[in-house]
Amino acid sequence: MAGVAFREATKRFGGAVALDRLDLEVGDGELLVLLGPSGCGKTTALRLVAGLEEPDDGAIEIGGRVVNHVEAKDRDVAMVFQSYALYPHLSVGRNIEFPLRQRGFDRDERRRRVADAASTLGLSELLDRKPRQLSGGQRQRVALARAIVREPQAFLMDEPLSNLDAALRTQTRADIVALQQQLGTTTLYVTHDQVEAMTMGDRIAVMDHGVLQQVDRPQALYDRPANTFVARFVGSPGMNLLPATLEQGAGGKWEAQVAGSALAVPETAATAAGGAGAALVLGVRPEHVGIGPHGTVDATVVIVELLGAEVHVACRLGDGTNVIVRQDAAAPRPAHGEAVRLAVAPASLHVFHASGARVESGAGVGHAPVPGEGATP
Amino acid sequence: MSRRRRVREAALGYLLVLPALCVFAVFVFYPFAQNFRLALFQAPPFPGLPSRYVGLHQVGQVLTSSSFLESLVATVLFVVMVVPAGLLIGLLLAVAAHRRLRGMAVYRVIFSSTVVTSVAVSALVFGTLMDPVVGLLPWLGLNPSPPILQNTTWALPAIAVMAVWQFLGLSFIVMSAGLSSIPEEVLEAARVDGASERTVFWRVTVPLLSPTIFFGTVVATIYAFQTFGQVDILIGPTNAAFEHVNLLVYNILNTIEIARTTGQAAVLSIVLFLLTLGVTLLQLRLVERRVHYAQ
């Protein structure tokens, strides 16, 4: 096992920068998730580690050794592809055995390891089948078995769950985490699914347009997003972002003008944001918005979505900004088209500069009580 | 679907097929059937006289003739020379052109261009290259005597080289299409799994390309069996090496044009048909077992 590191790694395709000076370390035995939308550079980063692409600038290290010019076959990493990339002409057993053959393991050792890997992933009965005779979930397990069989220095997983149905995805997610913990192998896991990232990663690195936005533990990422992109991308639904202007009201209290309504802002955040007249973006998690008569922001209910245990109420402010409110299913539900008032506790506000960067003030840890009726998270 | 609607749809289907069916009936099905009738009749010694029914006697006569046996040996040798070489070189060119390198599109056009080169033009070019006076071979210091196209040893390989060249375009296109259909991720998986480029080629690319190679083999075999133009243009019946290059299709033409024995030509046509059919079926039976269809 070994750590993996990106040192100012840059990759360009023609004129397009796919990865821009990525600086990131994956600790020995850690499961780090690269999270981001399509085209954000996460798969490119993974391919750089696999040796399927070479960085234009910077370095890739595996186990402290720079591997920029080391061929894929000599890197001792295992990769699970989105399409599984099984060898269709080989049986399940031969698929799992393939990496062992390439590395010159003797026959007995190959048999023992294939049997072990197949047993770990519940494939012992399927060793003679061809990939086309397997279900999606079984193929996915074969791909995992092929990865673990030679005990590589690191696992690279490129959206391995995206071709599975929802139920199987949840199950396999847990299986992969358990397997990774059991083996203790350094794992770089790529996904665009923030739920997958939050539930699997020891840490998450969020990327956009080839640039690393933030890397942190899942809860820290959720509680203190570094910018509006991370705030919006992490969480389901994402954080509500409201354009606002800072003002100092009567008695010296700081308020943000949002769609003609005033929201109280903590003084520390207001000062750090630049004081009166500063353009801001206020962020608030859906579970931290309340609907009630003592709210301060006028809105109209646009959609009410029942999700079983909770309800998502989509509201529209006077300036057209949409705000999602997450309510308990048992709470009184507003009707479609109803005029409501939204309440937000100052302590639950995340304050961002208009550029999108977080205003560092110590405010907004995200665990503040929710004002208003029936909106307790 | 109601019965009436079904009948109307079927009628429309037959109506749409009818023009193609007419063309096939006139130019393929009728001559094909007529061949079997002709094979049972001996052509008259002078035009205008009735043909004589000789039954299977003529078939035996043709199949035991030295001309047929020489022609058969030449054709089989020719197939053996053309098919593997045509496929292998086509595959190597396709693999080379499959790389994402600058200017590769130009090479792809060049490699596939023999498809649109007529046999007559290529025969003229090769005839010039092999010319004992102004050709490429004497310039290279190779000047067999008699000249290569009149040489009983080298005439057939020379025609085979030309046929391989002519077939390369199609072979290249077919192999390129096959290579493009192999998922890149499978090849990448093999590289990450520790396979060298050679292992990736032999253990992954070739097995996944086997349906294409199989298809190419069938097409190449039929192409080689039916080669005619090169022999007609470069060799001809007065050539000293003629008997060694008298491929079956050319033999059929000569049997009609020179010997004027249409019945014997019909027998030869049927033999060629059965030979092609037999080899194709054999390939289907033996080779297809080793073909891996991906999904």
Side-chain angles (χ1 to χ4, degrees):
Chain A
M1 264 66 82
V4 172
F6 298 83
R7 307 282 182 215
E8 298 273 310
T10 298
K11 180 68 189 173
R12 300 179 200 92
F13 293 104
V17 180
L19 204 63
D20 193 3
R21 287 169 293 157
L22 177 62
D23 233 349
L24 179 65
E25 279 193 42
V26 190
D28 192 358
E30 182 183 20
L31 195 164
L32 184 127
V33 177
L34 283 174
L35 174 68
S38 294
C40 73
K42 55 192 190 297
T43 295
T44 303
L46 202 70
R47 291 171 63 83
L48 288 177
V49 179
L52 298 171
E53 307 283 356
E54 266 191 38
D56 294 313
D57 294 309
I60 306 294
E61 291 176 11
I62 299 174
R65 184 173 69 115
V66 175
V67 292
N68 284 21
H69 303 297
V70 177
E71 282 189 55
K73 69 184 176 69
D74 300 322
R75 292 204 179 185
D76 196 20
V77 294
M79 188 158 170
V80 179
F81 290 81
Q82 186 173 4
S83 65
Y84 317 136
L86 300 179
Y87 309 118
H89 57 295
L90 300 180
S91 66
V92 168
R94 297 293 292 270
N95 259 282
I96 300 172
E97 189 191 32
F98 189 89
L100 300 177
R101 275 180 177 264
Q102 305 317 314
R103 281 176 164 71
F105 284 85
D106 67 50
R107 196 173 159 186
D108 290 342
E109 182 65 8
R110 289 204 307 263
R111 278 190 179 172
R112 188 188 65 75
R113 286 197 182 210
V114 169
D116 282 353
S119 161
T120 304
L121 287 148
L123 294 165
S124 301
E125 307 298 314
L126 307 173
L127 289 177
D128 293 327
R129 292 211 195 155
K130 290 281 174 67
R132 64 172 175 271
Q133 297 169 301
L134 305 178
S135 67
Q138 288 168 333
R139 287 181 199 186
Q140 208 273 344
R141 285 184 353 237
V142 176
L144 277 174
R146 191 175 65 180
I148 67 170
V149 74
R150 64 184 160 90
E151 298 165 12
Q153 293 201 66
F155 290 142
L156 309 174
M157 302 197 183
D158 186 7
E159 310 214 21
L161 306 183
S162 59
N163 288 341
L164 302 181
D165 63 53
L168 199 54
R169 200 156 52 219
T170 309
Q171 175 60 43
T172 313
R173 206 161 68 197
D175 290 346
I176 290 178
V177 172
L179 190 67
Q180 196 272 340
Q181 284 171 354
Q182 179 193 330
L183 301 171
T185 308
T186 309
T187 303
L188 203 50
Y189 187 104
V190 160
T191 183
H192 65 269
D193 183 340
Q194 61 89 32
V195 176
E196 225 168 276
M198 294 291 281
T199 52
M200 295 180 77
D202 294 326
R203 286 189 303 153
I204 301 172
V206 184
M207 299 186 65
D208 186 37
H209 289 102
V211 177
L212 180 64
Q213 304 291 318
Q214 186 176 4
V215 53
D216 215 329
R217 289 172 296 105
Q219 192 64 53
L221 210 65
Y222 189 80
D223 291 343
R224 291 184 59 81
N227 55 40
T228 48
F229 176 80
V230 178
R232 180 76 87 178
F233 201 79
V234 175
S236 180
M239 184 182 284
N240 295 300
L241 297 175
L242 316 170
T245 311
L246 204 54
E247 284 180 1
Q248 195 160 25
K253 288 196 170 181
W254 289 96
E255 290 176 345
Q257 286 297 323
V258 178
S261 307
L263 273 178
V265 176
E267 187 176 351
T268 46
T271 313
L280 299 174
V281 176
L282 293 183
V284 57
R285 292 281 177 203
E287 59 270 29
H288 295 150
V289 186
I291 296 177
H294 53 280
T296 53
V297 182
D298 293 320
T300 308
V301 174
V302 182
I303 302 169
V304 180
E305 288 180 325
L306 176 64
L307 300 177
E310 61 187 52
V311 176
H312 293 174
V313 182
C315 303
R316 185 160 296 159
L317 306 188
D319 63 353
T321 307
N322 287 325
V323 173
I324 308 285
V325 182
R326 176 183 278 159
Q327 287 191 327
D328 194 275
R333 234 172 277 165
H336 174 81
E338 187 180 331
V340 293
R341 306 203 74 176
L342 305 179
V344 180
S348 66
L349 274 179
H350 299 253
V351 185
F352 301 95
H353 292 288
S355 64
R358 183 181 189 86
V359 172
E360 289 302 340
S361 65
V365 289
H367 292 301
V370 179
E373 295 171 2
T376 309
Chain B
M1 198 189 291
S2 71
R3 183 182 154 78
R4 196 175 157 187
R5 195 171 157 195
R6 272 207 309 270
V7 170
R8 279 184 60 182
E9 281 201 1
L12 178 67
Y14 282 114
L15 194 69
L16 291 171
V17 167
L18 195 61
L21 200 64
C22 289
V23 173
F24 269 86
V26 171
F27 293 103
V28 178
F29 302 146
Y30 173 74
F32 181 74
Q34 183 70 356
N35 228 14
F36 285 89
R37 197 190 69 80
L38 279 174
L40 304 174
F41 287 84
Q42 194 175 45
F46 301 103
L49 296 176
S51 296
R52 190 161 64 94
Y53 178 79
V54 288
L56 293 176
H57 172 70
Q58 184 164 247
V59 176
Q61 202 179 4
V62 170
L63 294 186
T64 53
S65 70
S66 61
S67 151
F68 166 74
L69 293 174
E70 279 168 4
S71 181
L72 185 66
V73 169
T75 306
V76 170
L77 279 175
F78 185 76
V79 169
V80 170
M81 285 184 225
V82 170
V83 176
L87 291 173
L88 188 66
I89 300 173
L91 174 60
L92 294 177
L93 289 180
V95 170
H98 195 59
R99 298 177 181 196
R100 291 190 198 116
L101 297 177
R102 191 181 288 269
M104 199 46 86
V106 177
Y107 285 95
R108 288 198 192 109
V109 172
I110 293 171
F111 293 158
S112 54
S113 61
T114 67
V115 167
V116 290
T117 310
S118 80
V119 174
V121 170
S122 63
L124 203 67
V125 172
F126 269 81
T128 310
L129 288 175
M130 294 172 187
D131 188 279
V133 181
V134 297
L136 181 68
L137 294 183
W139 185 74
L140 291 170
L142 301 168
N143 215 348
S145 178
I148 197 160
L149 290 173
Q150 278 101 52
N151 192 305
T152 52
T153 308
W154 293 109
L156 186 68
I159 295 295
V161 166
M162 198 179 136
V164 167
W165 180 87
Q166 188 91 48
F167 181 67
L168 271 188
L170 181 63
S171 176
F172 170 76
I173 290 170
V174 169
M175 294 299 176
S176 293
L179 280 178
S180 303
S181 70
I182 296 177
E184 192 61 31
E185 282 196 341
V186 176
L187 305 179
E188 290 177 342
R191 290 182 190 117
V192 177
D193 279 345
S196 64
E197 285 306 310
R198 181 181 292 190
T199 308
V200 172
F201 181 74
W202 287 111
R203 300 278 177 206
V204 184
T205 304
V206 169
L208 293 186
L209 204 58
S210 57
T212 308
I213 296 172
F214 171 64
F215 170 76
T217 308
V218 172
V219 171
T221 306
I222 293 171
Y223 164 80
F225 269 123
Q226 296 190 343
T227 297
F228 165 77
Q230 292 90 335
V231 183
D232 188 41
I233 295 167
L234 292 179
I235 304 294
T238 55
N239 190 302
F242 170 70
E243 284 178 357
H244 299 270
V245 198
N246 187 18
L247 301 182
L248 266 175
V249 177
Y250 194 60
N251 193 3
I252 293 169
L253 180 84
N254 278 331
T255 308
I256 298 171
E257 290 280 310
I258 298 168
R260 303 258 167 217
T261 49
T262 47
Q264 290 185 7
V267 174
L268 287 172
S269 297
I270 293 166
V271 169
L272 178 64
F273 163 69
L274 292 176
L275 205 59
T276 313
L277 182 71
V279 170
T280 307
L281 289 177
L282 199 68
Q283 285 170 339
L284 279 170
R285 214 176 149 74
L286 297 180
V287 184
E288 201 178 21
R289 283 185 197 164
R290 302 195 63 80
V291 168
H292 304 286
Y293 294 101
Q295 297 298 329

